[in-house]
Amino acid sequence: MTQHHTAVSVEELVNAMEPLIRRIVREELARAVKKEPDIFYLEPDMPLYEDMAEIRERNLRKETVLFSHKEVWGE
């Protein structure tokens, strides 16, 4: 049995994984909102809460870059 290995850079790996990760996060958030549509909130100790707080701070500093739906999801 022959094994083939391909070396990829960290940047290439990130570029390959990012669309998948974004899709998973989107699906998980959609599932959470459907499950409890009137009670969805993030706890301060949740990693997503920390990420959203960071995004908010960047937005306040005018450092946020927004992408279209097509650019983000490739749809």
Side-chain angles (χ1 to χ4, degrees), residues 13-74:
L13 182 60
V14 168
N15 288 338
M17 295 297 298
E18 188 173 2
L20 176 62
I21 293 167
R22 287 182 181 276
R23 183 165 297 242
I24 291 168
V25 169
R26 182 176 77 169
E27 290 170 0
E28 288 301 313
L29 286 174
R31 186 177 309 148
V33 171
K34 285 179 185 175
K35 189 174 182 181
E36 297 290 342
D38 298 327
I39 319 174
F40 181 75
Y41 61 92
L42 300 173
E43 296 287 342
D45 62 340
M46 297 173 72
L48 188 54
Y49 181 95
E50 294 171 13
D51 292 341
M52 298 303 288
E54 181 183 338
I55 291 169
R56 180 179 181 273
E57 291 300 318
R58 285 185 193 174
N59 189 44
L60 292 173
R61 293 189 308 263
K62 306 294 186 210
E63 297 174 358
T64 305
V65 177
L66 300 177
F67 297 94
S68 71
H69 181 89
K70 185 174 184 177
E71 289 172 309
V72 173
W73 304 114

